[in-house]
Structure formats: C-alpha cells, structure tokens
Amino acid sequence: MVSFYSCTTTQKQKEKKPLLVDDKASESCLNLYQKLNEISKKGFAIGHQDATSYGISWTQNDDSLIIKSDVNEVVQDFPAVYGFDLGRIELASDRNLDSVSFVTMRKLMVDAHKKGGIITISWHADNPTSDGDSWDKTPAVAHIIKGGKNRAKYELWVERMANFIKSLQYDNQPIPLVFRPFHEMNGAWFWWGDPNCTAAEYKQLWQETVQLLRDTHNVHNLLYAYSPNKLNPSDDYLKYYPGDDYVDILGIDIYDFKNAKEYTEAVVKDLELVKNIAKEKNKLYAFTETGLETISTENWYSEVLYPSIENSGIAWVLFWRNGRLDHHYMPYKGHSSESDFKNFEKLSKTLFLKDINVIKK
C-alpha cells in the first residue's frame, strides 16, 4: 500500500491522499489518480467505450494514420476517457471479442495517453470452465481460485493479460490504466456474477487476480475499480467488495432502458450511496458505465442525464460503445441527438479531452 501527498500552491499544508492497492505504483499511475481527483472537483470527464476503435460505419484499420471518433465528429473534441476491453487476450487471440486487433488497441492506447486522455479497461473473459463466452453462466470461479481444477489455466490467462499491459509504454514509461475487472457481479449474466459464484469466491478471485498482476507479474500501472450494476432494493453495494486494500476506485453501472424516470431515480439514489461509501473510505468514485441504446429519448443528455449527475462528484462517466445502428450509446454525425449532445458538451461540468488537459494537478 502507498500513501502520497499533494501540496497546495502555497505549500502551507498537505492533503493526505488515499492508500493505493499497489505500493509500487508507477509515477504515471500516481499522477493519474491525482488527475482524476482534480477532475472530480471541477466536474466529470466524459468517456466512451471503444471511442477510437470503431464507430457507426467505420473501423480503425491497423495501418490507418487517422484517429477517428464519433464524438469528435460531433463536437470537434475527443472524449476525456477512452474505454477498451481485453476480452480474448486470455486466449492469445490477435483480436478482442469485438474484433479489435490488439495491435491496433495498443496503438490507440498510446495515442490516447499521448493526447492526455484517461484509459479504462474492462475484461470480458471467456468462461474458463466451459470455454464459452463471458455470458456463459456455467459456474467457474470456484475452479480458478487457489485449489481449483482450472487454476493453472487461469494463471496463464492472467500472465497473457499482464504481458499485454506491460507492453503499453510511452517514452519508455508505463501507460497508467484504470482496470475494472469482473464488473456487474450482482447481476446474473456473467460467469463471475451472482448466483454463479458466492460472494466469498468472488472476493477471493479479485484478490488473487490483483496479487498475480501486482506481485507475480510486477504490473504497477493499474488502478483497480469495483463496479456493481444498478442496485435492487435488497442489494448490498459492498456484498462482493474485496476490501479497501484491493480497490482504488468505486463505481456503478446503470443503463436507461427507455424509462427516464426510473433511470434518473436510480442514478441519483445509487450515486449518492456510492459517494457516501467512497467518502467514508477516502476513495475516488465514478459512473463506470451508462447509456441509452440508440439515444431514442429527446434531449436525453442535457435534460435526463446531466441533472442527475451534475453535482454527484463523480470523476468520470463512461458511455458504452457505438457498435451498430441498433446498438450505440453516443451520437454520430447526422444522428437526431447531435444538437442535444452539443448542448451537453457546453454545460459547465462536462469535461472532454481539451478540458482535462488544462486542469492542473
């Protein structure tokens, strides 16, 4: 565990920062944490999953010299947060589960970091027991924690992921990442989710994954983010929480399923809960996934989402990917929500790439 301090400009007082999971965290990783902390005081960074990997009617080719983004096409600025997924890295595949080449992904991560962007990674790993995908609910966690029959297989998977993460360098320095593994564990749709494993098994898997990355493979450029799905009335946000020593950032995933009233009520309630827990634990927190598929509600960004998160204190909000015309969460040039998104971009708390590059640590 590591603690670090940030001084005021007058150098008259020091503000103690939270302990981090990794006591050997790279300088760039420490800087990322500080940057996120400063962003949360100004507003919230706007993020987009696979922002530069592909969009509506285009993909980023391995040899392309042009970095595109649907967001940039609309507001002439890139997202501040770039989301990527490492699913299938565990299989030594050359492409992830959304057909993004890992060579291309590395290039795009370097570009995002070079531009001052923040990178967050998720991991939709295949099911290590059945060899199905992440949504194959065959119980698997008990088989990959210590003593499980597939433990050696899982250790190989983590090694492959570690090798990729360590290959992410800029100016011979590691690129810092927010790693958000095994998300939405309180939902039933992933093999690592309830009821496909117990809370105790989940916590053990998380802790052992951190130990493998940090201690066995010497990966020191990660901040670890914990993100359950939207809470049902009986849900306990901390039921699967692996402990303060294993989490740097708290988050939550909430989607609008074409019911703005229900969505805004959940966002306000759940983010307030996350905020209170984060304050108590002295940790950062974020809105780690959200969106309205195809953005069918009029003025959704400015009138539904923004009022719900304006004063929430989150460090960032990540919108999901623009995969297809029937599966996208950000506007593209010519979309009916384009003008609303331009209004959203002008609001005081929304921070895009240019905005976060002027925030001083």
Side-chain angles (χ1 to χ4, degrees), residues 100-354:
V100 179
S101 157
F102 285 110
V103 171
T104 296
M105 188 183 297
R106 183 186 294 109
K107 180 184 75 172
L108 294 175
M109 287 178 165
V110 170
D111 178 78
H113 177 70
K114 181 179 178 181
K115 288 175 176 172
I118 295 160
I119 300 168
T120 179
I121 54 174
S122 49
W123 185 27
H124 283 88
D126 274 8
N127 186 309
T129 296
S130 67
D131 295 325
D133 61 20
S134 292
W135 294 267
D136 182 328
K137 295 180 282 188
T138 303
V141 174
H143 301 316
I144 59 176
I145 55 180
K146 286 182 178 177
K149 64 181 182 180
N150 292 325
R151 175 65 180 189
K153 180 179 185 178
Y154 184 68
E155 289 186 1
L156 175 61
W157 283 15
V158 174
E159 180 180 5
R160 288 169 173 165
M161 179 169 60
N163 289 338
F164 178 78
I165 292 171
K166 289 195 290 186
S167 76
L168 301 171
Q169 303 271 329
Y170 178 68
D171 279 349
N172 296 316
Q173 296 296 318
I175 293 175
L177 313 167
V178 177
F179 182 36
R180 192 170 62 94
F182 309 125
H183 62 301
E184 301 174 7
M185 75 299 294
N186 57 324
W189 42 88
F190 295 129
W191 57 260
W192 58 81
D194 187 355
N196 308 315
C197 68
T198 67
E201 290 168 344
Y202 179 91
K203 293 175 186 178
Q204 185 175 344
L205 173 62
W206 182 293
Q207 293 168 358
E208 291 178 3
T209 301
V210 170
Q211 290 162 3
L212 285 169
L213 288 167
R214 181 191 62 194
D215 306 331
T216 302
H217 298 295
N218 296 309
V219 174
H220 300 302
N221 54 323
L222 297 179
L223 298 174
Y224 295 86
Y226 169 82
S227 63
N229 191 58
K230 169 189 170 184
L231 301 175
N232 294 313
S234 61
D235 284 353
D236 175 6
Y237 179 82
L238 295 175
K239 179 178 179 180
Y240 307 91
Y241 187 64
D244 291 350
D245 290 352
Y246 290 91
V247 174
D248 295 307
I249 300 169
L250 303 181
I252 195 159
D253 298 359
I254 308 172
Y255 282 87
D256 183 348
F257 294 102
K258 304 189 189 314
N259 188 330
K261 183 176 184 294
E262 180 182 310
Y263 172 75
T264 54
E265 288 175 352
V267 169
V268 171
K269 176 178 65 70
D270 287 0
L271 283 181
E272 182 66 19
L273 174 67
V274 174
K275 174 181 179 178
N276 291 337
I277 295 172
K279 296 294 185 185
E280 179 183 334
K281 295 180 176 297
N282 197 26
K283 295 185 184 293
L284 293 176
Y285 57 103
F287 198 177
T288 40
E289 271 189 48
T290 194
L292 168 66
E293 191 174 49
T294 71
I295 324 163
S296 54
T297 300
E298 187 176 1
N299 298 328
W300 185 81
Y301 294 101
S302 61
E303 296 182 7
V304 176
L305 176 69
Y306 187 79
S308 304
I309 63 176
E310 180 180 5
N311 298 311
S312 61
I314 55 175
W316 77 86
V317 54
L318 180 78
F319 299 96
W320 204 236
R321 68 196 194 102
N322 279 14
R324 307 179 302 271
L325 284 173
D326 65 342
H327 180 66
H328 64 89
Y329 297 84
M330 280 290 209
Y332 51 88
K333 200 70 175 170
H335 190 272
S336 59
S337 67
E338 187 176 359
S339 61
D340 178 51
F341 193 75
K342 288 178 180 178
N343 291 333
F344 177 72
E345 186 265 341
K346 293 181 176 70
L347 294 170
S348 61
K349 297 291 182 71
T350 59
L351 305 176
F352 287 72
L353 186 61
K354 293 174 186 174

